[in-house]
C-alpha cells in the first residue's frame, strides 16, 4: 500500500466518521425533542383525566344530594 492510497483511505475514513458524528448528533436532537413531546402529552393526558374524574365526582355528588333532598322531603311518603 502506497502513501497515496493510505492518505486517500484516511480521508475517506475521516469523512465517514464526520458523517456518522453528524448523524449521531441529529439522532440525539430528535430523541430529546421526542422526550419533550412525550412529557407534554403525558401532562395533557393527566390534566384530561383529572378533569374527567372531577366531572364524574361532581355528577355523583349531585345525584347523592338530590337523593338526600328527596329523602328529607319525605321520600316515598309524599
Amino acid at each position: 500500500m502506497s502513501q497515496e492510497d493510505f492518505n486517500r483511505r484516511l480521508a475517506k475514513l475521516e469523512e465517514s466518521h464526520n458523517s456518522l458524528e453528524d448523524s449521531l448528533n441529529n439522532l440525539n436532537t430528535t430523541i430529546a425533542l421526542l422526550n419533550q413531546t412525550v412529557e407534554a402529552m403525558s401532562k395533557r393526558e393527566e390534566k384530561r383525566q383529572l378533569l374527567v374524574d372531577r366531572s364524574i365526582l361532581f355528577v355523583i355528588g349531585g345525584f347523592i344530594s338530590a337523593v338526600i333532598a328527596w329523602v328529607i322531603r319525605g321520600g316515598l311518603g309524599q
Side-chain angles (χ1 to χ4, degrees), residues 30-76:
T30 303
I31 289 171
L33 291 172
L34 284 172
N35 283 338
Q36 283 181 337
T37 303
V38 167
E39 287 175 9
M41 289 174 64
S42 176
K43 286 179 184 177
R44 271 187 261 141
E45 181 60 30
E46 187 176 313
K47 286 180 182 178
R48 185 178 299 127
Q49 188 62 40
L50 186 61
L51 178 63
V52 168
D53 291 345
R54 285 182 180 171
S55 299
I56 289 172
L57 288 175
F58 181 76
V59 168
I60 291 172
F63 179 72
I64 290 172
S65 296
V67 168
I68 290 173
W70 178 72
V71 168
I72 289 175
R73 288 186 191 135
L76 293 175

